[in-house]
Amino acid sequence: MSIAGIFEHPLGRLGPDALPFWQMLQHPTEGNIINGCVATGAASMVVIGALVMVVLLTRYRRWGVLWSDWLTSPDHKKIGIMYVAIAFVMLARALIEAVLMRAQQAFGLSGGFLSPDHFAQLFSTHGTIMIFFMAMPFLTGIINYVMPMQIGARDVSFPVLNSISLGLTAAGAGLVMVSLVIGKFSTGGWFGYPPFTEASFSPGVGPDYWIWSLTLASLGSTLTGINFAVTIYKERAPGMTLMRMPLFTWTALCTSILMIFAMPPLTVATAQLALDRYLGFHYFTNALGGNMMNFANLFWLFGHPEVYILILPSFGVFSEVISTFSGKVLYGYRSLVMATMAITVLSFTVWLHHFFTMGQNANMNAAFGIASMLIGVPTGVKIYDWMLTMFRGRVRFTVPMVYSFGFILLFVLGGMSGILLANPSVDYQVHNTVFLVAHFHNMAVPGVLFGMLVAYHFWFPKAFGFRLDERWGMVSALCWIFGFMAAFFPLYVLGVMGLPRRTVAYSEASYVPLEWVAFLGALLILVALGSLLWQLRVSIRHRDENRVAAGDPWNGRSLEWATSAPPPEYNFAVIPSVEGRDAFARAKEEGCAYQSPDTYRDIELPRNSAMGPVTGAIGFALGFGLVWHIWWLVILSFLAAVTTLIVRGFARDTTRVVPADEVRREHLRWIAAVNATTAVSRVDECRPVNDGRARYEAIGVAP
Amino acid sequence: MISAGRWLVLSAVVPMLAACTGNLHLSFLDPQGPVAAAQRWHFFEVLGIMAVLVAGPIFLLLPFFAWRYRYGNKASRYAPRWEFSRLLEIMAWSGPIVIVVVLSFILWRDTHRLDPYKPLASDQTPLRVQVIGYDWKWLFIYPDQGIASIGMLAMPAGRPVSMQITSATVMQSLFIPALGSQIYAMGGMVTRLNLEADRPGRFLGENTMYNGNGFHQQHFTAAGMTPDDFSAWVQNVRAHGTPLDARTLQLVAGRSTRAALIDALPGKATHDGNLYFTHVSEALFPAVVQATLDGRAQLPRSALAHADPDRPRSADAPHSASASTP
Ligand code: HEM
Ligand SMILES: [Cu+2]
Ligand SMILES: [Cu+2]
């Protein structure tokens, strides 16, 4: 590539054939028309969605608000909410794709309606999105929102870095979304194994979209991991020793540690693949000394810890929720902490179970198989401890608890299929079949996704000041649970019947009935998502009845409930000092919650910064330029990135002060409101009378 | 006219073999060989242990606790500050540990016993088969018989089959569920797999590692035959198969499904959609491995040697170039 070459093709390899309807217009065969219409429909949803956003923001003059209150805000709570918003958008897309795949396979005996290439993009984007742009942003958002408050901090350690991480994640998500409109995504699945994803076998832009969106997201996650870990180590309130941290914070810490150590192998693997594709290196090619087995090792060195990055925060959420809604201290706190740490360490010792079938010897496979089963021990302990938390409690059957029951029972089944897969001699049979698909969804849906939805229900009132509608929540929870069962239990059977994963079509008639059950299950899951959206709408409409301004709708136990709902920007008027576990529950029992101190101090907060959105925009431009070989854009955005960093280095005036007076006024207003609120019994928890103050109920207290 | 004759004879032999065996066997739960049978046993052993020791207690206790300690039940004991019991704690840890130790023994034993690289115990010498994964078909080479096939892996029942596997393209995974394990096929590398069919029958064979548009069509039939039928089959292929010459191999190596390949080789397939080849050199498989490793499309001419099945062959057979028609 010469200098002239850079300007010779100002749009790189971008041409009209990148449009989703181009092929259909050029070759209007029946298959092309169907696939073209599906792809164009999906693309129009993205374009129309973006346009509607722009129009609404302009019409209601909200650009300024969006910029100064949200995009540039360093407030961990707002950043958390934006992460969760991204997660929901991406969940909707990935779920629609999942239903499309299930529909295709339901008709798959006769070939179905989608082309193989289109189907391959669906499973690749679905998997990539669910992992990197649904689950990761969701848990990052929840940790962002909750963790600083649980440890009694005002913000994370590096608020602007937090905003930059969000920008990078959003840029990655944007790149995946754009691939729906311009060009095609990878067909190499979510783990993108070479040599299939090498330029010789996949010359198009697909793998490049995959590489750069993952690179952006994983950079964001690495920075997030560092940020969270430092926050937990350094920002805890006085008296909040490690062994007094709420369990959710513990899981946040372990997840952050995993992020710090697990993301780099992924970044290295995708970077090497990029070198292969762009500069003709031979890391993973068949020939000239390349070896794809190195990619498999690097990828799963990230990939297995990754599944624990996803599941640990959910474990934390369930721990909080089960204890809160059982009206009881968490049973076996120390054990649960040890189990979490054990999982964190063990998760780095098992990656080989993703390729037992690659030809290594039996000793090696057995060692890794046993290591994988070992993870079952701490996980089992967790399940027993959750059940013992309910034991001798007062269990309330709220929406989060319904999810929790579903989670525990389904997760046990998923764990059992996991133990089966950890046996190399069984894995030799079900590896790469839909049995495996059933297994990991059995962990990902009841484990990760339910956990995140529970977090959303549990902390929504804290974030927005009103409760979510209970009835629609229940409808949605039941649809999720039963939809999941219908969609994935058949796949266990189909897998044992030899149906490989990622098949667009099949030739065995005996697969059809179970494929249809799975399809109906997927539709039920779509209903579940619809109910979730409807619930949000209903809840917003009735928000005034369901306000919980006093801030403690569930008789909560940890410090985040000791603030107003929504909390002030600085979280705590005065940093609490902590004397034990379940600090807020203890304060309520001792009757010393909701106190106002004698003196208030000025509070220093970070100033808004454009670093996040600017870095995100640059990252997006860089990624887009690289995907399409638009070299001038690559050079320009690279220079812009360097310039931004340098300019930021000169920013001196990075904080602002909330005067003590204002803090006092705000706090006293809230204390007055709390005092004016009647404390409600748990019977009325989900009724309008619950304004966010809990009555102390200790009937028949034993030991 | 040769092709018509071949068509007839092969068409007669293959269904005859299939007829006595009924349907295609799909699953290791319906095992047709010693490996799959052992895997089935292992599967149910592990599943049974877990169903009784893991799932059972949890499925009983969780609903019981939830109901017994529900908020509305004021009769049950309420201990909001109870958070630890040494006995329960020891049980919570030791229970799973004991289960995992037991399962680890089973795992260790069967991982070694069912190692796909390990030759199967038998009083017969294994049948050698070399498998090359192309996009989107498998080429099965019988080096000792000098023949090859696409779409059909024939094997004598009761005699182990020892496979060497490679890929001439991206990664794939060779799998015959009713017989046993799957193993990856990787470019420039050779993996191994040992399987055996107990009795005559037809078994589903496939690739389970996604490798592009024709992935879902990369199926084949593995057929167990009586030793006599197998010999007859070999004779038939030798007598009526297509010579695997350079041009044919080039077509085979292209990115195409078996169906598309058959279209490109008119008149060469049997009516059940399989292709049979003769004059296949023992040097072909290693040559493909080496060529993939070197990134060369062209195979050395010696690899496409004209093989005479009736005589013992040396590695560089003399009549190399003339592998056109018999
Ligand atoms: C909630 C309903 C969901 C449905 C109906 C669904 C459905 C599917 C389907 C049909 C496939 C393709 C299976 C195949 O290869 O044959 C798939 C693959 C996959 N799904 Fe899901 N899924 C769901 C949720 C999730 C979640 C929550 C996650 C992760 C957090 C997830 C991660 C994946 C991954 C990683 C793949 C593999 C993609 C690949 O083959 O590379 N899915 N899913
Ligand atoms: Cu793993
Ligand atoms: Cu290898």
Side-chain angles (χ1 to χ4, degrees):
Chain A
M1 171 192 49
S2 63
I3 301 287
I6 296 177
F7 298 101
E8 199 176 331
H9 302 286
L11 288 181
R13 40 178 176 169
L14 186 55
D17 55 344
L19 292 169
F21 43 82
W22 189 257
Q23 198 184 12
M24 156 172 90
L25 296 183
Q26 300 299 306
H27 309 280
T29 61
E30 190 189 339
N32 278 346
I33 289 178
I34 294 175
N35 285 286
C37 287
V38 173
T40 311
S44 349
M45 269 161 70
V46 176
V47 175
I48 292 172
L51 281 179
V52 168
M53 284 278 288
V54 170
V55 169
L56 287 182
L57 284 169
T58 313
R59 168 95 196 278
Y60 294 103
R61 298 169 189 282
R62 288 293 161 84
W63 283 106
V65 178
L66 180 69
W67 181 255
S68 51
D69 279 10
W70 290 93
L71 297 183
T72 58
S73 167
D75 181 351
H76 70 97
K77 298 183 288 301
K78 289 189 170 153
I79 290 176
I81 291 170
M82 286 187 279
Y83 265 115
V84 174
I86 293 179
F88 268 112
V89 172
M90 300 311 275
L91 172 66
R93 168 168 172 199
L95 197 60
I96 293 171
E97 291 178 330
V99 174
L100 215 53
M101 283 190 283
R102 286 267 132 266
Q104 159 66 26
Q105 284 201 344
F107 294 100
L109 184 62
S110 51
F113 53 93
L114 291 178
S115 68
D117 184 62
H118 200 156
F119 186 82
Q121 284 183 63
L122 286 177
F123 65 68
S124 303
T125 44
H126 166 86
T128 305
I129 288 176
M130 280 294 194
I131 303 273
F132 293 99
F133 299 107
M134 190 290 283
M136 288 295 270
F138 214 143
L139 70 92
T140 307
I142 300 288
I143 295 177
N144 244 314
Y145 196 92
V146 176
M147 180 270 288
M149 288 200 277
Q150 283 198 330
I151 60 173
R154 295 232 149 87
D155 206 324
V156 294
S157 288
F158 311 114
V160 174
L161 187 65
N162 202 10
S163 164
I164 291 175
S165 303
L166 172 67
L168 291 172
T169 307
L175 217 49
V176 180
M177 283 315 231
V178 162
S179 78
L180 211 47
V181 185
I182 306 170
K184 292 182 168 176
F185 199 75
S186 174
T187 54
W190 85 280
F191 46 79
Y193 270 0
F196 184 72
T197 46
E198 291 282 358
S200 46
F201 295 102
S202 300
V205 293
D208 300 323
Y209 265 126
W210 179 79
I211 288 173
W212 299 118
S213 57
L214 248 63
T215 304
L216 288 168
S218 59
L219 277 179
S221 296
T222 312
L223 298 177
T224 298
I226 294 171
N227 208 343
F228 286 167
V230 173
T231 305
I232 295 175
Y233 288 134
K234 303 302 272 186
E235 308 287 329
R236 279 169 288 135
M240 177 64 81
T241 59
L242 286 177
M243 288 310 279
R244 286 178 183 168
M245 295 195 310
L247 212 87
F248 178 74
T249 297
W250 263 109
T251 58
L253 176 60
C254 291
T255 283
S256 315
I257 295 172
L258 284 176
M259 282 184 186
I260 297 170
F261 288 101
M263 301 318 280
L266 173 68
T267 309
V268 168
T270 50
Q272 287 179 310
L273 184 60
L275 286 172
D276 278 8
R277 288 180 61 84
Y278 283 79
L279 297 174
F281 281 50
H282 291 91
Y283 284 113
F284 309 126
T285 49
N286 277 335
L288 301 173
N291 190 332
M292 72 72 58
M293 295 199 291
N294 293 333
F295 184 92
N297 277 286
L298 277 174
F299 187 90
W300 293 112
L301 201 51
F302 145 79
H304 191 86
E306 167 70 12
V307 304
Y308 286 93
I309 291 175
L310 301 183
I311 198 70
L312 286 178
S314 281
F315 284 172
V317 171
F318 286 119
S319 302
E320 304 286 310
V321 159
I322 292 176
S323 150
T324 303
F325 289 104
S326 301
K328 197 161 158 276
V329 180
L330 190 62
Y331 174 87
Y333 174 90
R334 194 172 285 274
S335 251
L336 284 166
V337 170
M338 273 160 52
T340 308
M341 289 305 271
I343 292 176
T344 306
V345 174
L346 285 177
S347 73
F348 279 106
T349 64
V350 302
W351 78 92
L352 192 135
H353 64 207
H354 294 274
F355 42 84
F356 281 145
T357 52
M358 207 153 77
Q360 55 278 6
N361 67 35
N363 284 330
M364 183 94 88
N365 277 354
F368 278 87
I370 290 172
S372 310
M373 291 208 303
L374 274 180
I375 296 193
V377 175
T379 314
V381 168
K382 280 181 174 250
I383 289 185
Y384 297 136
D385 284 359
W386 290 324
M387 285 168 41
L388 288 169
T389 301
M390 293 179 207
F391 178 68
R392 293 187 183 158
R394 288 254 180 279
V395 181
R396 284 119 62 194
F397 288 57
T398 51
V399 172
M401 277 313 268
V402 169
Y403 274 116
S404 304
F405 295 140
F407 154 71
I408 293 182
L409 295 182
L410 295 173
F411 200 76
V412 167
L413 296 180
M416 283 170 53
S417 61
I419 296 271
L420 279 169
L421 281 159
N423 282 266
S425 34
V426 174
D427 184 70
Y428 275 121
Q429 267 291 342
V430 290
H431 178 65
N432 266 349
T433 69
V434 291
F435 186 95
L436 177 71
V437 174
H439 159 70
F440 67 69
H441 284 89
N442 207 161
M443 307 315 256
V445 178
V448 181
L449 189 58
F450 286 8
M452 291 300 111
L453 293 177
V454 167
Y456 162 75
H457 279 88
F458 191 55
W459 281 298
F460 185 95
K462 172 62 43 182
F464 295 98
F466 57 95
R467 279 176 292 112
L468 286 168
D469 184 82
E470 191 76 4
R471 182 149 353 120
W472 279 103
M474 204 64 87
V475 170
S476 179
L478 293 175
C479 287
W480 273 111
I481 292 172
F482 290 106
F484 165 78
M485 286 166 35
F488 289 102
F489 286 172
L491 299 197
Y492 280 124
V493 182
L494 287 170
V496 162
M497 287 163 74
L499 179 64
R501 69 191 291 195
R502 300 175 173 169
T503 27
V504 60
Y506 45 86
S507 44
E508 297 303 320
S510 51
Y511 295 154
V512 174
L514 287 173
E515 283 284 1
W516 271 89
V517 177
F519 175 42
L520 296 181
L523 288 179
L524 198 54
I525 290 176
L526 208 55
V527 174
L529 185 69
S531 323
L532 214 54
L533 293 179
W534 189 251
Q535 177 201 37
L536 185 61
R537 196 193 132 96
V538 170
S539 310
I540 291 175
R541 202 168 337 120
H542 299 295
R543 61 187 178 280
D544 288 332
E545 297 155 32
N546 294 326
R547 291 227 184 260
V548 290
D552 180 23
W554 316 120
N555 197 6
R557 313 188 65 84
S558 37
L559 285 175
E560 77 271 27
W561 304 108
T563 62
S564 58
E569 193 181 353
Y570 40 82
N571 295 350
F572 301 96
V574 266
I575 295 295
S577 80
V578 178
E579 267 136 44
R581 265 172 232 155
D582 287 348
F584 185 51
R586 184 178 286 250
K588 284 187 286 187
E589 276 170 31
E590 290 165 0
C592 53
Y594 307 118
Q595 291 196 329
S596 40
D598 307 327
T599 53
Y600 290 85
R601 295 236 173 83
D602 289 353
I603 294 176
E604 202 181 25
L605 288 178
R607 239 179 230 291
N608 277 21
S609 159
M611 276 303 278
V614 168
T615 316
I618 293 173
F620 178 84
L622 186 60
F624 191 80
L626 282 166
V627 167
W628 290 101
H629 298 184
I630 309 175
W631 303 119
W632 61 265
L633 184 61
V634 173
I635 294 169
L636 220 60
S637 25
F638 182 76
L639 291 178
V642 175
T643 314
T644 317
L645 283 180
I646 293 173
V647 168
R648 173 70 189 177
F650 285 95
R652 279 286 159 266
D653 192 15
T654 55
T655 57
R656 71 194 163 85
V657 170
V658 185
D661 254 3
E662 195 185 317
V663 176
R664 186 213 327 268
R665 237 179 301 123
E666 183 93 17
H667 192 237
L668 292 183
R669 187 172 341 118
W670 174 60
I671 294 285
V674 170
N675 289 331
T677 305
T678 31
V680 296
S681 128
R682 293 302 96 196
V683 179
D684 294 324
E685 189 165 50
C686 301
R687 308 223 174 100
V689 289
N690 181 357
D691 290 336
R693 183 158 184 203
R695 189 196 293 164
Y696 179 54
E697 295 175 63
I699 330 131
V701 181
Chain B
M1 22 88 230
I2 292 174
S3 67
R6 169 176 47 234
W7 193 90
L8 273 177
V9 178
L10 279 176
S11 306
V13 172
V14 175
M16 179 193 78
L17 299 167
C20 52
T21 57
N23 288 337
L24 195 64
H25 296 281
L26 300 178
S27 170
F28 74 109
L29 298 187
D30 163 27
Q32 301 296 311
V35 178
Q39 284 171 322
R40 181 174 79 154
W41 173 246
H42 185 153
F43 182 84
F44 284 124
E45 198 178 10
V46 176
L47 193 62
I49 290 175
M50 285 191 301
V52 174
L53 298 181
V54 180
I58 294 173
F59 272 73
L60 292 177
L61 281 180
L62 179 72
F64 173 71
F65 283 177
W67 184 247
R68 170 108 178 102
Y69 298 105
R70 70 191 183 278
Y71 183 75
N73 182 8
K74 304 284 177 197
S76 62
R77 184 151 159 222
Y78 181 38
R81 281 188 214 129
W82 178 73
E83 59 170 341
F84 187 73
S85 141
R86 189 174 299 276
L87 179 70
L88 287 174
E89 212 48 29
I90 291 172
M91 281 167 61
W93 283 91
S94 55
I97 288 178
V98 170
I99 299 174
V100 165
V101 167
V102 171
L103 291 176
S104 298
F105 274 110
I106 301 178
L107 183 149
W108 186 272
R109 183 197 70 201
D110 277 10
T111 303
H112 283 89
R113 192 156 59 110
L114 298 178
D115 181 3
Y117 276 44
K118 206 169 101 178
L120 299 178
S122 172
D123 48 7
Q124 302 194 43
T125 51
L127 173 72
R128 288 205 302 145
V129 178
Q130 295 165 328
V131 187
I132 304 176
Y134 289 101
D135 281 331
W136 297 297
K137 58 251 162 206
W138 297 100
L139 178 68
F140 300 104
I141 301 171
Y142 295 78
D144 298 320
Q145 285 74 20
I147 58 171
S149 64
I150 288 178
M152 163 67 67
L153 172 62
M155 54 178 81
R159 178 174 169 198
V161 180
S162 167
M163 291 189 243
Q164 285 183 300
I165 303 165
T166 192
S167 166
T169 160
V170 302
M171 191 188 210
Q172 312 189 358
S173 185
L174 182 82
F175 190 27
I176 308 165
L179 295 189
S181 301
Q182 64 182 298
I183 201 94
Y184 286 167
M186 292 173 288
M189 293 175 246
V190 180
T191 45
R192 294 179 163 279
L193 181 60
N194 290 281
L195 296 174
E196 182 182 327
D198 284 335
R199 47 187 162 273
R202 293 168 61 242
F203 326 120
L204 169 75
E206 59 196 7
N207 167 23
T208 64
M209 178 58 88
Y210 184 79
N211 61 342
N213 286 343
F215 163 70
H216 61 290
Q217 283 163 299
Q218 195 170 349
H219 285 191
F220 60 93
T221 308
M225 305 172 175
T226 62
D228 290 345
D229 285 343
F230 180 72
S231 307
W233 178 82
V234 170
Q235 288 311 325
N236 262 294
V237 173
R238 277 194 188 141
H240 307 286
T242 310
L244 191 57
D245 55 21
R247 191 189 81 91
T248 312
L249 194 69
Q250 201 185 353
L251 286 173
V252 169
R255 276 189 129 182
S256 57
T257 59
R258 171 151 49 102
L261 175 64
I262 287 170
D263 287 345
L265 290 170
K268 303 275 166 89
T270 53
H271 81 279
D272 53 352
N274 300 323
L275 288 160
Y276 298 96
F277 302 106
T278 58
H279 300 80
V280 183
S281 158
E282 177 152 30
L284 177 59
F285 183 83
V288 169
V289 174
Q290 192 58 45
T292 312
L293 208 51
D294 297 343
R296 274 183 292 111
Q298 221 61 44
L299 295 178
R301 300 177 93 193
S302 58
L304 294 161
H306 182 139
D308 187 340
D310 299 323
R311 264 181 292 144
R313 278 156 294 117
S314 61
D316 41 65
H319 352 264
S320 40
S322 63
S324 50
T325 41

